[in-house]
């Protein structure tokens, strides 16, 4: 047999796939992988159906269906006051993960350094390593997981090519503040550093807080790839459609990679989504919709002995259990899944050093009934 040298020797199957599979196997309520268990709008399904019936079944343009790019431009300008040219500065991607991979592939050369903040979503580091880049990670500490910009400055070198930020943040449910934007601006000023801003949870932000999109700040937008997700916006994570915004000089390079990676994305879905996105209520209502779920779930969890951390945005609620058990967070989540019948995610998997703060992540993007059943199981289980 021919031997293969792995490009990612220490990578296994993602924790999301693993925990979702286990949840199915043991019939647990799945609050692990982040995805809704309720249906998207029937109107969106009709629009996509109609697009297929109307013959939108061949390749979309490489950058995406133009009507969709135009709607994205309108939304971005309305929300963040930023103008992105649909022709040259917006590309529709096969979900957020592909946009992130493509952006990393676009800018990272061998030995370039990329700063990431851990806990970090799992797809950043492997993409950097595949490009021959060097991951420089900085660990954030619970309960507030704030970025210590003094420490970031120490990580910056003349090889630093990219900084990856993520707000609202997966898995911690924190959000960047205006002070962070000021610090980031001061840090990159006069340096050749790009920013990859993972904003897939941009509309899932609570308590009236502002989403500090890179698009709002010209001095940052001029060097940023901004990644967004229709999966989160329309409750259709399985459709795998997202997009990337970047100034033309960056997008031009991004598309060179994109065209040979995916070429273009599902045309009927893009056509249907373009019409659906024209109604701003679709996204303006999201913070309220998810905040209700967050509050309902948190009220329920307060009846258990788990200690909740604040959730300012995203699909997620973190909870501490260290006062209840000495188990590692992986063992604890496996036991909760198998014995309590509620699947969740250990947060140590988001740290390259597997740092275990005895904190677990629940996804609350679920029907009220699902959340209530999960809470009841946790109350009945001897934690
Ligand atoms: N973003 C989702 C989560 O954090 C999972 C995405 C995936 O499974 N790759 O749960």
């Amino acid at each position: 047999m021919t031997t293969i040298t792995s490009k990612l020797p220490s990578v296994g199957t993602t924790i999301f796939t693993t925990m979702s599979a286990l949840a199915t196997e043991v019939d647990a309520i799945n609050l692990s992988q982040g995805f809704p268990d309720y249906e998207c709008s029937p109107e969106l399904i009709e629009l996509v159906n109609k697009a297929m019936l109307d013959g939108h079944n061949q390749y979309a343009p490489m950058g995406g269906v133009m009507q969709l790019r135009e709607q994205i431009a309108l939304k971005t300008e309305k929300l963040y006051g930023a103008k992105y040219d649909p022709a040259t500065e917006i590309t529709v991607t096969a979900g957020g993960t592909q946009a992130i991979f493509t952006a990393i592939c676009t800018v990272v050369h061998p030995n370039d350094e990329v700063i990431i903040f851990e806990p970090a979503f799992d797809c950043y580091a492997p993409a950097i390593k595949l490009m021959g880049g060097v991951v420089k990670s900085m660990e954030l500490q619970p309960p507030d997981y704030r970025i210590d910009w003094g420490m970031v400055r120490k990580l910056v070198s003349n090889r630093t090519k990219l900084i990856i930020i993520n707000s609202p943040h997966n898995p911690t449910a924190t959000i960047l503040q205006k002070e962070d934007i000021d610090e980031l601006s001061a840090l990159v000023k006069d340096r050749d550093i790009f920013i990859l801003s993972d904003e897939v949870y941009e509309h899932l932000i609570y308590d009236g807080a502002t989403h500090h999109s890179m698009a709002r700040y010209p001095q940052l937008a001029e060097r940023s790839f901004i990644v967004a997700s229709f999966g989160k916006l329309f409750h259709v994570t399985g459709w795998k459609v997202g997009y990337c915004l970047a100034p033309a000089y960056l997008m031009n390079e991004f598309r060179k990679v994109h065209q040979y990676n995916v070429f273009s994305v599902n045309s009927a879905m893009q056509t249907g989504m373009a019409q659906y996105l024209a109604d701003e209520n679709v996204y303006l209502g999201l913070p309220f919709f998810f905040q209700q779920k967050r509050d309902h779930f948190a009220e329920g969890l307060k009846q258990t002995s788990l200690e909740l951390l604040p959730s300012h945005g995203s699909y997620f609620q973190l909870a501490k259990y260290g006062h209840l058990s000495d188990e590692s967070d992986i063992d604890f989540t496996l036991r909760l899944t198998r014995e309590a019948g509620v699947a969740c995610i250990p947060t140590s998997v988001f740290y390259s050093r597997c740092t275990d703060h005895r904190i677990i992540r629940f996804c609350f993007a679920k029907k009220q009934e699902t959340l209530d059943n999960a809470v009841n199981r946790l109350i009945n289980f001897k934690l």
Side-chain angles (χ1 to χ4, degrees), residues 44-45 47-53 55-69 72 91-95 98 230 234 236-242 258 261-274:
L44 176 59
I45 299 212
L47 288 169
V48 170
N49 256 316
K50 182 164 181 315
M52 286 184 194
L53 293 170
H56 294 278
N57 300 306
Q58 308 308 328
Y59 293 126
M62 189 266 279
V65 166
M66 193 42 95
Q67 297 96 298
L68 181 57
R69 285 190 261 165
I72 293 169
T91 298
V92 179
T93 60
Q98 184 242 308
F230 287 116
F234 296 151
V236 288
T237 61
W239 289 10
K240 295 300 298 174
V241 184
H258 175 80
N261 182 12
V262 285
F263 179 58
S264 72
V265 175
N266 194 313
S267 53
M269 276 177 186
Q270 291 190 62
T271 308
M273 284 176 164

Short mmCIF file of all heavy atoms in Angstrom, two decimals, residues 44-45 47-53 55-69 72 91-95 98 230 234 236-242 258 261-274:
data_model
loop_
_atom_site.label_atom_id
_atom_site.label_comp_id
_atom_site.label_asym_id
_atom_site.label_seq_id
_atom_site.Cartn_x
_atom_site.Cartn_y
_atom_site.Cartn_z
N LEU A 44 -39.42 31.21 2.10
CA LEU A 44 -38.07 31.04 1.55
C LEU A 44 -37.99 29.74 0.74
O LEU A 44 -37.43 29.72 -0.37
CB LEU A 44 -37.03 31.04 2.70
CG LEU A 44 -35.59 30.78 2.30
CD1 LEU A 44 -35.07 31.82 1.31
CD2 LEU A 44 -34.68 30.78 3.55
N ILE A 45 -38.61 28.70 1.27
CA ILE A 45 -38.60 27.42 0.55
C ILE A 45 -39.32 27.56 -0.79
O ILE A 45 -38.86 27.08 -1.83
CB ILE A 45 -39.24 26.31 1.42
CG1 ILE A 45 -38.41 26.17 2.70
CG2 ILE A 45 -39.41 25.00 0.64
CD1 ILE A 45 -38.30 24.84 3.33
N LEU A 47 -39.67 30.31 -2.53
CA LEU A 47 -38.87 31.13 -3.45
C LEU A 47 -37.74 30.30 -4.09
O LEU A 47 -37.47 30.44 -5.29
CB LEU A 47 -38.27 32.34 -2.71
CG LEU A 47 -39.27 33.43 -2.33
CD1 LEU A 47 -38.65 34.44 -1.37
CD2 LEU A 47 -39.78 34.15 -3.59
N VAL A 48 -37.13 29.43 -3.29
CA VAL A 48 -36.06 28.58 -3.84
C VAL A 48 -36.65 27.57 -4.83
O VAL A 48 -36.11 27.35 -5.91
CB VAL A 48 -35.27 27.88 -2.70
CG1 VAL A 48 -34.32 26.83 -3.27
CG2 VAL A 48 -34.50 28.91 -1.88
N ASN A 49 -37.80 27.00 -4.44
CA ASN A 49 -38.50 26.07 -5.34
C ASN A 49 -38.82 26.71 -6.67
O ASN A 49 -38.61 26.15 -7.74
CB ASN A 49 -39.84 25.67 -4.70
CG ASN A 49 -39.78 24.28 -4.15
OD1 ASN A 49 -39.26 23.39 -4.80
ND2 ASN A 49 -40.31 24.11 -2.96
N LYS A 50 -39.35 27.93 -6.56
CA LYS A 50 -39.75 28.66 -7.76
C LYS A 50 -38.52 28.93 -8.64
O LYS A 50 -38.57 28.81 -9.86
CB LYS A 50 -40.44 29.97 -7.37
CG LYS A 50 -40.92 30.76 -8.55
CD LYS A 50 -41.93 31.84 -8.14
CE LYS A 50 -42.42 32.62 -9.35
NZ LYS A 50 -41.40 33.04 -10.30
N ALA A 51 -37.41 29.27 -7.98
CA ALA A 51 -36.18 29.54 -8.74
C ALA A 51 -35.78 28.29 -9.53
O ALA A 51 -35.37 28.38 -10.69
CB ALA A 51 -35.06 29.98 -7.80
N MET A 52 -35.94 27.12 -8.93
CA MET A 52 -35.61 25.88 -9.65
C MET A 52 -36.57 25.68 -10.81
O MET A 52 -36.15 25.36 -11.93
CB MET A 52 -35.72 24.68 -8.70
CG MET A 52 -34.58 24.58 -7.73
SD MET A 52 -34.76 23.07 -6.77
CE MET A 52 -33.61 23.42 -5.47
N LEU A 53 -37.87 25.89 -10.53
CA LEU A 53 -38.88 25.70 -11.59
C LEU A 53 -38.68 26.71 -12.72
O LEU A 53 -38.96 26.42 -13.88
CB LEU A 53 -40.29 25.81 -11.00
CG LEU A 53 -40.66 24.69 -10.02
CD1 LEU A 53 -41.97 25.00 -9.30
CD2 LEU A 53 -40.76 23.35 -10.75
N GLY A 55 -35.94 27.64 -13.80
CA GLY A 55 -34.77 27.29 -14.61
C GLY A 55 -33.44 27.82 -14.12
O GLY A 55 -32.47 27.86 -14.88
N HIS A 56 -33.37 28.21 -12.83
CA HIS A 56 -32.07 28.66 -12.30
C HIS A 56 -31.29 27.45 -11.81
O HIS A 56 -31.05 27.28 -10.62
CB HIS A 56 -32.27 29.67 -11.16
CG HIS A 56 -32.90 30.94 -11.62
ND1 HIS A 56 -32.18 31.96 -12.20
CD2 HIS A 56 -34.19 31.34 -11.63
CE1 HIS A 56 -32.99 32.94 -12.53
NE2 HIS A 56 -34.22 32.59 -12.21
N ASN A 57 -30.89 26.62 -12.74
CA ASN A 57 -30.29 25.33 -12.38
C ASN A 57 -28.90 25.10 -12.95
O ASN A 57 -28.36 24.01 -12.83
CB ASN A 57 -31.24 24.20 -12.80
CG ASN A 57 -32.59 24.33 -12.12
OD1 ASN A 57 -32.66 24.43 -10.90
ND2 ASN A 57 -33.66 24.39 -12.90
N GLN A 58 -28.35 26.12 -13.57
CA GLN A 58 -26.99 25.98 -14.10
C GLN A 58 -26.06 26.87 -13.28
O GLN A 58 -26.49 27.57 -12.39
CB GLN A 58 -26.95 26.33 -15.59
CG GLN A 58 -27.98 25.57 -16.43
CD GLN A 58 -27.93 24.06 -16.24
OE1 GLN A 58 -26.88 23.48 -15.99
NE2 GLN A 58 -29.09 23.40 -16.34
N TYR A 59 -24.77 26.82 -13.61
CA TYR A 59 -23.77 27.57 -12.82
C TYR A 59 -24.20 29.01 -12.58
O TYR A 59 -24.58 29.73 -13.51
CB TYR A 59 -22.43 27.62 -13.57
CG TYR A 59 -21.74 26.29 -13.71
CD1 TYR A 59 -21.35 25.83 -14.96
CD2 TYR A 59 -21.47 25.50 -12.60
CE1 TYR A 59 -20.69 24.62 -15.11
CE2 TYR A 59 -20.81 24.28 -12.74
CZ TYR A 59 -20.43 23.85 -13.99
OH TYR A 59 -19.79 22.66 -14.13
N ALA A 60 -24.05 29.43 -11.34
CA ALA A 60 -24.19 30.85 -11.04
C ALA A 60 -22.88 31.53 -11.45
O ALA A 60 -21.85 30.86 -11.60
CB ALA A 60 -24.41 31.01 -9.54
N PRO A 61 -22.89 32.86 -11.61
CA PRO A 61 -21.63 33.55 -11.86
C PRO A 61 -20.64 33.25 -10.72
O PRO A 61 -21.07 33.02 -9.58
CB PRO A 61 -22.01 35.03 -11.86
CG PRO A 61 -23.48 35.06 -12.06
CD PRO A 61 -24.03 33.77 -11.54
N MET A 62 -19.36 33.29 -11.02
CA MET A 62 -18.35 32.90 -10.03
C MET A 62 -18.48 33.69 -8.72
O MET A 62 -18.37 33.13 -7.63
CB MET A 62 -16.96 33.06 -10.66
CG MET A 62 -15.84 32.51 -9.85
SD MET A 62 -15.12 33.78 -8.85
CE MET A 62 -14.06 34.60 -10.04
N GLY A 63 -18.76 34.96 -8.80
CA GLY A 63 -18.86 35.79 -7.58
C GLY A 63 -20.20 35.64 -6.86
O GLY A 63 -20.36 36.15 -5.76
N GLY A 64 -21.16 35.01 -7.51
CA GLY A 64 -22.49 34.86 -6.91
C GLY A 64 -23.56 35.49 -7.79
O GLY A 64 -23.25 36.30 -8.67
N VAL A 65 -24.82 35.09 -7.55
CA VAL A 65 -25.95 35.65 -8.31
C VAL A 65 -26.02 37.16 -8.04
O VAL A 65 -26.00 37.58 -6.87
CB VAL A 65 -27.26 34.95 -7.88
CG1 VAL A 65 -28.50 35.70 -8.36
CG2 VAL A 65 -27.26 33.50 -8.40
N MET A 66 -26.06 37.97 -9.09
CA MET A 66 -25.94 39.42 -8.91
C MET A 66 -27.03 40.01 -8.02
O MET A 66 -26.75 40.86 -7.18
CB MET A 66 -25.89 40.11 -10.29
CG MET A 66 -25.47 41.55 -10.23
SD MET A 66 -24.09 41.95 -9.11
CE MET A 66 -22.70 41.89 -10.19
N GLN A 67 -28.29 39.52 -8.16
CA GLN A 67 -29.35 40.09 -7.29
C GLN A 67 -29.04 39.85 -5.82
O GLN A 67 -29.37 40.68 -4.98
CB GLN A 67 -30.73 39.47 -7.58
CG GLN A 67 -31.28 39.70 -8.97
CD GLN A 67 -30.96 38.49 -9.85
OE1 GLN A 67 -29.80 38.17 -10.09
NE2 GLN A 67 -32.00 37.81 -10.34
N LEU A 68 -28.44 38.73 -5.53
CA LEU A 68 -28.11 38.45 -4.12
C LEU A 68 -26.98 39.37 -3.65
O LEU A 68 -27.05 39.95 -2.57
CB LEU A 68 -27.73 36.97 -3.93
CG LEU A 68 -27.40 36.58 -2.48
CD1 LEU A 68 -28.56 36.88 -1.53
CD2 LEU A 68 -27.04 35.10 -2.37
N ARG A 69 -25.99 39.53 -4.49
CA ARG A 69 -24.88 40.43 -4.11
C ARG A 69 -25.41 41.86 -3.91
O ARG A 69 -24.97 42.56 -3.01
CB ARG A 69 -23.80 40.42 -5.19
CG ARG A 69 -22.96 39.15 -5.14
CD ARG A 69 -21.77 39.28 -6.04
NE ARG A 69 -21.96 38.65 -7.33
CZ ARG A 69 -21.19 38.85 -8.40
NH1 ARG A 69 -20.21 39.73 -8.33
NH2 ARG A 69 -21.41 38.22 -9.52
N ILE A 72 -27.07 42.01 -0.58
CA ILE A 72 -26.04 42.00 0.49
C ILE A 72 -25.45 43.42 0.63
O ILE A 72 -25.26 43.92 1.74
CB ILE A 72 -24.93 40.98 0.17
CG1 ILE A 72 -25.48 39.55 0.22
CG2 ILE A 72 -23.75 41.14 1.13
CD1 ILE A 72 -24.54 38.47 -0.34
N THR A 91 -18.47 38.33 -2.53
CA THR A 91 -18.48 36.99 -3.15
C THR A 91 -19.34 36.06 -2.31
O THR A 91 -19.18 36.00 -1.09
CB THR A 91 -17.05 36.43 -3.27
OG1 THR A 91 -16.30 37.30 -4.12
CG2 THR A 91 -17.04 35.03 -3.89
N VAL A 92 -20.24 35.36 -2.98
CA VAL A 92 -21.08 34.37 -2.28
C VAL A 92 -20.28 33.08 -2.19
O VAL A 92 -19.64 32.66 -3.16
CB VAL A 92 -22.41 34.15 -3.05
CG1 VAL A 92 -23.27 33.10 -2.34
CG2 VAL A 92 -23.17 35.48 -3.18
N THR A 93 -20.29 32.48 -0.99
CA THR A 93 -19.48 31.28 -0.74
C THR A 93 -20.36 30.11 -0.30
O THR A 93 -21.52 30.30 0.06
CB THR A 93 -18.45 31.57 0.37
OG1 THR A 93 -19.17 31.92 1.56
CG2 THR A 93 -17.50 32.69 -0.01
N ALA A 94 -19.75 28.93 -0.30
CA ALA A 94 -20.47 27.74 0.18
C ALA A 94 -20.37 27.68 1.71
O ALA A 94 -19.73 26.81 2.29
CB ALA A 94 -19.87 26.49 -0.46
N GLY A 95 -20.97 28.67 2.35
CA GLY A 95 -20.98 28.75 3.81
C GLY A 95 -19.82 29.56 4.36
O GLY A 95 -18.88 29.92 3.63
N GLN A 98 -16.14 27.87 4.23
CA GLN A 98 -15.39 27.99 2.97
C GLN A 98 -14.82 29.40 2.79
O GLN A 98 -13.70 29.57 2.31
CB GLN A 98 -16.27 27.63 1.77
CG GLN A 98 -15.48 27.64 0.46
CD GLN A 98 -15.98 28.66 -0.54
OE1 GLN A 98 -17.18 28.70 -0.84
NE2 GLN A 98 -15.11 29.48 -1.09
N PHE A 230 -25.61 32.85 5.66
CA PHE A 230 -27.06 32.79 5.51
C PHE A 230 -27.65 31.64 6.32
O PHE A 230 -28.83 31.62 6.61
CB PHE A 230 -27.46 32.64 4.04
CG PHE A 230 -27.27 33.91 3.25
CD1 PHE A 230 -26.36 33.97 2.22
CD2 PHE A 230 -28.00 35.05 3.57
CE1 PHE A 230 -26.17 35.15 1.51
CE2 PHE A 230 -27.82 36.23 2.87
CZ PHE A 230 -26.90 36.27 1.84
N PHE A 234 -31.00 32.80 8.03
CA PHE A 234 -32.30 32.27 7.57
C PHE A 234 -32.66 30.93 8.24
O PHE A 234 -33.59 30.27 7.81
CB PHE A 234 -32.25 32.03 6.05
CG PHE A 234 -32.08 33.27 5.21
CD1 PHE A 234 -31.44 33.20 3.97
CD2 PHE A 234 -32.57 34.51 5.61
CE1 PHE A 234 -31.29 34.33 3.16
CE2 PHE A 234 -32.42 35.64 4.82
CZ PHE A 234 -31.78 35.55 3.60
N VAL A 236 -30.98 28.09 8.08
CA VAL A 236 -30.77 27.00 7.10
C VAL A 236 -29.28 26.63 7.05
O VAL A 236 -28.64 26.75 6.00
CB VAL A 236 -31.27 27.41 5.69
CG1 VAL A 236 -32.79 27.45 5.64
CG2 VAL A 236 -30.71 28.76 5.24
N THR A 237 -28.76 26.12 8.17
CA THR A 237 -27.32 25.85 8.20
C THR A 237 -26.93 24.78 7.17
O THR A 237 -25.81 24.76 6.68
CB THR A 237 -26.87 25.39 9.60
OG1 THR A 237 -27.57 24.19 9.95
CG2 THR A 237 -27.15 26.45 10.66
N GLY A 238 -27.88 23.90 6.84
CA GLY A 238 -27.58 22.81 5.91
C GLY A 238 -27.50 23.26 4.45
O GLY A 238 -27.06 22.50 3.60
N TRP A 239 -27.92 24.47 4.16
CA TRP A 239 -27.85 24.93 2.77
C TRP A 239 -26.44 25.38 2.40
O TRP A 239 -26.11 25.49 1.23
CB TRP A 239 -28.84 26.08 2.53
CG TRP A 239 -30.28 25.65 2.54
CD1 TRP A 239 -30.76 24.43 2.93
CD2 TRP A 239 -31.41 26.43 2.17
NE1 TRP A 239 -32.12 24.41 2.82
CE2 TRP A 239 -32.56 25.63 2.35
CE3 TRP A 239 -31.59 27.74 1.70
CZ2 TRP A 239 -33.84 26.08 2.07
CZ3 TRP A 239 -32.86 28.20 1.44
CH2 TRP A 239 -33.97 27.37 1.62
N LYS A 240 -25.65 25.67 3.41
CA LYS A 240 -24.25 26.04 3.19
C LYS A 240 -24.09 27.18 2.18
O LYS A 240 -23.45 27.04 1.13
CB LYS A 240 -23.43 24.82 2.73
CG LYS A 240 -23.32 23.70 3.77
CD LYS A 240 -22.67 24.11 5.07
CE LYS A 240 -21.24 24.56 4.95
NZ LYS A 240 -20.71 25.08 6.26
N VAL A 241 -24.70 28.31 2.50
CA VAL A 241 -24.48 29.51 1.68
C VAL A 241 -24.08 30.65 2.62
O VAL A 241 -24.73 30.88 3.64
CB VAL A 241 -25.72 29.92 0.86
CG1 VAL A 241 -25.39 31.12 -0.05
CG2 VAL A 241 -26.24 28.75 0.01
N GLY A 242 -23.01 31.33 2.30
CA GLY A 242 -22.55 32.48 3.07
C GLY A 242 -21.93 33.47 2.12
O GLY A 242 -22.10 33.37 0.90
N HIS A 258 -11.08 31.18 -4.83
CA HIS A 258 -12.47 30.71 -4.81
C HIS A 258 -12.84 30.00 -6.11
O HIS A 258 -13.49 28.96 -6.11
CB HIS A 258 -13.37 31.93 -4.56
CG HIS A 258 -14.83 31.67 -4.62
ND1 HIS A 258 -15.52 31.12 -3.56
CD2 HIS A 258 -15.75 31.87 -5.60
CE1 HIS A 258 -16.79 31.00 -3.90
NE2 HIS A 258 -16.97 31.45 -5.13
N ASN A 261 -11.57 26.58 -6.21
CA ASN A 261 -11.90 25.80 -5.03
C ASN A 261 -13.34 25.30 -5.15
O ASN A 261 -13.62 24.11 -5.14
CB ASN A 261 -11.68 26.69 -3.81
CG ASN A 261 -11.94 26.00 -2.50
OD1 ASN A 261 -12.09 24.80 -2.45
ND2 ASN A 261 -12.00 26.76 -1.44
N VAL A 262 -14.28 26.25 -5.31
CA VAL A 262 -15.69 25.86 -5.49
C VAL A 262 -16.26 26.32 -6.83
O VAL A 262 -17.34 25.91 -7.19
CB VAL A 262 -16.59 26.43 -4.37
CG1 VAL A 262 -16.40 25.69 -3.09
CG2 VAL A 262 -16.36 27.90 -4.18
N PHE A 263 -15.58 27.22 -7.48
CA PHE A 263 -16.03 27.94 -8.67
C PHE A 263 -17.25 28.80 -8.38
O PHE A 263 -17.17 30.02 -8.35
CB PHE A 263 -16.30 27.04 -9.89
CG PHE A 263 -16.78 27.87 -11.04
CD1 PHE A 263 -16.01 28.92 -11.53
CD2 PHE A 263 -18.04 27.67 -11.58
CE1 PHE A 263 -16.48 29.75 -12.54
CE2 PHE A 263 -18.51 28.49 -12.61
CZ PHE A 263 -17.72 29.52 -13.09
N SER A 264 -18.41 28.21 -8.13
CA SER A 264 -19.56 29.04 -7.79
C SER A 264 -20.53 28.22 -6.94
O SER A 264 -20.38 27.01 -6.81
CB SER A 264 -20.26 29.56 -9.05
OG SER A 264 -20.93 28.50 -9.70
N VAL A 265 -21.51 28.93 -6.37
CA VAL A 265 -22.39 28.33 -5.37
C VAL A 265 -23.80 28.18 -5.94
O VAL A 265 -24.22 28.98 -6.79
CB VAL A 265 -22.36 29.22 -4.10
CG1 VAL A 265 -23.34 28.74 -3.04
CG2 VAL A 265 -20.94 29.27 -3.52
N ASN A 266 -24.49 27.16 -5.45
CA ASN A 266 -25.88 26.81 -5.75
C ASN A 266 -26.76 27.97 -6.27
O ASN A 266 -27.13 28.88 -5.51
CB ASN A 266 -26.43 26.28 -4.42
CG ASN A 266 -27.72 25.59 -4.58
OD1 ASN A 266 -28.62 26.08 -5.25
ND2 ASN A 266 -27.83 24.43 -3.97
N SER A 267 -27.12 27.93 -7.53
CA SER A 267 -27.77 29.09 -8.15
C SER A 267 -29.23 29.28 -7.73
O SER A 267 -29.67 30.41 -7.49
CB SER A 267 -27.66 29.02 -9.67
OG SER A 267 -28.15 27.78 -10.13
N ALA A 268 -29.98 28.19 -7.60
CA ALA A 268 -31.41 28.35 -7.24
C ALA A 268 -31.54 28.93 -5.83
O ALA A 268 -32.38 29.80 -5.57
CB ALA A 268 -32.12 27.01 -7.33
N MET A 269 -30.71 28.46 -4.92
CA MET A 269 -30.80 28.98 -3.56
C MET A 269 -30.44 30.45 -3.51
O MET A 269 -31.09 31.24 -2.84
CB MET A 269 -29.91 28.18 -2.63
CG MET A 269 -30.64 26.94 -2.17
SD MET A 269 -29.67 25.92 -1.15
CE MET A 269 -30.78 24.54 -1.00
N GLN A 270 -29.41 30.82 -4.25
CA GLN A 270 -29.02 32.24 -4.25
C GLN A 270 -30.15 33.10 -4.81
O GLN A 270 -30.43 34.19 -4.30
CB GLN A 270 -27.78 32.44 -5.11
CG GLN A 270 -26.53 31.85 -4.52
CD GLN A 270 -25.31 32.32 -5.30
OE1 GLN A 270 -25.01 33.51 -5.36
NE2 GLN A 270 -24.62 31.39 -5.92
N THR A 271 -30.81 32.60 -5.85
CA THR A 271 -31.89 33.39 -6.48
C THR A 271 -33.05 33.56 -5.50
O THR A 271 -33.59 34.66 -5.33
CB THR A 271 -32.37 32.67 -7.77
OG1 THR A 271 -31.22 32.41 -8.57
CG2 THR A 271 -33.37 33.49 -8.54
N GLY A 272 -33.43 32.46 -4.83
CA GLY A 272 -34.52 32.54 -3.86
C GLY A 272 -34.14 33.44 -2.69
O GLY A 272 -34.93 34.29 -2.25
N MET A 273 -32.92 33.29 -2.20
CA MET A 273 -32.46 34.08 -1.05
C MET A 273 -32.44 35.57 -1.37
O MET A 273 -32.71 36.40 -0.50
CB MET A 273 -31.05 33.64 -0.65
CG MET A 273 -31.02 32.33 0.10
SD MET A 273 -29.29 31.89 0.41
CE MET A 273 -29.51 30.64 1.67
N ALA A 274 -32.10 35.92 -2.61
CA ALA A 274 -32.02 37.33 -2.98
C ALA A 274 -33.37 38.00 -2.76
O ALA A 274 -33.46 39.11 -2.23
CB ALA A 274 -31.59 37.46 -4.43
#
